[in-house]
Amino acid sequence: QVQLVESGGGLVQPGGSLRLSCGVSGIIFSAYAMNWHRQAPGKQRELVASITTGGSTNYADSAKGRFTISRDNAKNTVYLQMNSLKPEDTAVYYCNVRYRGFDTWGQGTLVTVSS
């Protein structure tokens, strides 16, 4: 059973920063690519960032240059460092892994960017 638990969300002012964490259990963490998605109110869930087993990263255009995804295999944890936050970054952020061909999701953590 794969389990993902996000943390680190909260309220932040525009231009501020947050670091999200996702603890993973039930898999050999180092063997899987990890992803962060987000879902804003009334919108579809979208991929924000991904990181491969080798540490290569990809970002949505909206996140490029501001967000950094990283992983700590010793802690079975994936992170999303978010800088220069904008109100349009407000969303529930979800950790994701594709395990045995199926997407597994955490419960999400809410990020609100507002003054």
Side-chain angles (χ1 to χ4, degrees):
Q1 184 178 351
V2 183
Q3 292 185 307
L4 295 77
V5 180
E6 301 95 338
S7 62
L11 176 64
V12 64
Q13 295 183 353
S17 298
L18 283 174
R19 189 176 78 155
L20 308 183
S21 299
C22 173
V24 181
S25 62
I27 60 170
I28 302 174
F29 176 77
S30 61
Y32 292 87
M34 299 297 302
N35 312 288
W36 284 98
H37 291 71
R38 68 185 180 189
Q39 188 165 23
K43 295 187 177 180
Q44 295 288 100
R45 190 170 298 187
E46 63 176 347
L47 178 65
V48 177
S50 60
I51 184 166
T52 69
T53 57
S56 297
T57 59
N58 278 290
Y59 300 92
D61 287 342
S62 60
K64 203 166 299 180
R66 300 186 300 124
F67 292 8
T68 303
I69 187 171
S70 62
R71 65 192 298 158
D72 186 338
N73 288 341
K75 295 183 177 180
N76 285 185
T77 301
V78 61
Y79 304 94
L80 185 67
Q81 178 68 45
M82 304 185 295
N83 299 326
S84 302
L85 283 162
K86 305 174 181 179
E88 50 263 47
D89 295 318
T90 296
V92 178
Y93 284 72
Y94 297 91
C95 185
N96 159 262
V97 62
R98 177 159 288 183
Y99 177 63
R100 294 186 175 182
F102 296 92
D103 285 321
T104 301
W105 306 90
Q107 290 297 111
T109 186
L110 176 63
V111 172
T112 302
V113 184
S114 177
S115 58

